[in-house]
Amino acid sequence: MKRPAKLKQGDEIRVIAPSRSIKILSDEGIQLAKQRLENLGFKVSFGKNTSISDLQQSSSIEQRIEDLHEAFADQQVKAVLTVIGGFNCNELLPYINYQLLMENPKILCGYSDVTALANAISTKCQFITYSGPHFSSFQMTGLQDYQTNYFIKCLMGAEPYQVYPSTHWSDDLWFLDQENRVYEETEWKVYSAGETTGSLYGGNLCTLNLLQGTPYFPDITDSILFIEDDELTNPETFARDLASLLQAANGIKGLLIGRFQKVSRMTEEQLYFILDKHPQLKNIPVLYDIDFGHTQPSITLPIGGTIHVHSNLRKVEIVNF
């Protein structure tokens, strides 16, 4: 798997909206996120169609494809950052010029619905993409340092590094109220002990499963999976989606599960009940309540990269990214 060129100070980041439009953000939020990225030393530009918003708060397939292709074709652009998630990113997959992207590999970063786009590009073009902050994520004030630290390590660094738990996490509506937030102490937890090294694939579970049976689904057999889900999941749907993914994998080497949002009603008892159904998960390293997904803060992970997991030590090392 090829690694796109790392970001450097002064590089241009292009913001595009392959799911929801940038119109979902406030003008103040856009300026705050842009300023934070500029303070890190980057130039920020926007796709021409990011502000178009239709009945489903998105734009046409043609407009989203245009922005994606222009971002990868523009030699001044060194990374592509998505505005936010949504529900329709997978609509784009048959219309992407994968040859264009393959000839111009560069960083693509986002999460949630962008799972479909990132995994499809890694699969078809054979270069690493990234599950990490959206452009909109840089609006957040509290817990931003942890999130930004791993964004920089993954997208600018070259040497392997270990990921450590955040000190605190939050599942509040920070985008509505930055001042009155509720924080809880972080604890990464072990379901089964073990140690392994392997290729990493995953992202938002229900979105990744949309790719099954298509040419855009990665070969996840013998990989390490990372999965998370949002407020729309519950124990029953998570169990069904996990079973489907494990059946598609035909054997995996490790599993990382992102922290669940509170509204999902996923208790530790429910999670163990679900995981206990799958004998293979007792013989590989499995960690849960990890810092990625729809709670804050979130690390950046390389889709198609290589990681090392030592679950009983709660150790995750990013090796090739």
Side-chain angles (χ1 to χ4, degrees), residues 175-191:
F175 45 88
L176 298 180
D177 187 351
Q178 296 260 34
E179 303 299 324
N180 301 296
R181 297 187 60 185
V182 178
Y183 299 109
E184 301 184 38
E185 291 187 4
T186 298
E187 181 186 4
W188 289 6
K189 298 173 184 174
V190 180
Y191 171 75

Side-chain angles (χ1 to χ4, degrees), residues 29-161:
I30 293 170
Q31 289 305 312
L32 180 57
K34 181 173 182 288
Q35 186 63 58
R36 282 211 170 97
L37 288 166
E38 289 175 343
N39 289 345
L40 294 175
F42 304 122
K43 300 173 184 176
V44 179
S45 60
F46 297 88
K48 67 176 68 171
N49 298 305
T50 55
S51 296
I52 296 172
S53 185
D54 59 20
L55 285 174
Q56 295 185 346
Q57 298 179 307
S58 185
S59 60
S60 71
I61 290 173
E62 292 78 12
Q63 289 164 329
R64 285 177 282 153
I65 287 291
E66 181 182 24
D67 282 356
L68 177 69
H69 286 168
E70 286 189 358
F72 273 88
D74 190 332
Q75 297 304 303
Q76 298 304 309
V77 173
K78 305 304 179 184
V80 182
L81 195 57
T82 55
V83 167
I84 200 167
F87 295 94
N88 59 352
C89 204
N90 67 320
E91 294 175 344
L92 306 182
L93 306 186
Y95 308 103
I96 295 172
N97 182 343
Y98 293 101
Q99 186 63 37
L100 169 67
L101 274 56
M102 199 180 308
E103 293 171 358
N104 298 277
K106 58 187 66 176
I107 289 166
L108 171 79
C109 186
Y111 73 104
S112 192
D113 191 49
V114 177
T115 295
L117 180 63
N119 279 274
I121 290 174
S122 284
T123 299
K124 298 288 285 184
C125 301
Q126 290 297 294
F127 64 80
I128 296 170
T129 55
Y130 300 88
S131 178
H134 295 300
F135 172 74
S136 58
S137 305
F138 287 93
Q139 299 173 106
M140 184 177 69
T141 299
L143 305 176
Q144 183 63 243
D145 288 348
Y146 177 92
Q147 176 176 271
T148 298
N149 177 49
Y150 285 108
F151 178 82
I152 290 172
K153 279 181 178 290
C154 197
L155 302 187
M156 299 185 77
E159 297 300 319
Y161 62 92

Side-chain angles (χ1 to χ4, degrees), residues 226-241:
F226 72 100
I227 56 172
E228 57 83 20
D229 230 322
D230 59 19
E231 62 182 5
L232 298 180
T233 196
N234 57 51
E236 292 80 9
T237 58
F238 180 80
R240 178 174 62 181
D241 288 343

Side-chain angles (χ1 to χ4, degrees), residues 202-215:
N204 182 250
L205 177 58
C206 63
T207 303
L208 183 62
N209 276 349
L210 295 175
L211 302 185
Q212 289 193 47
T214 74

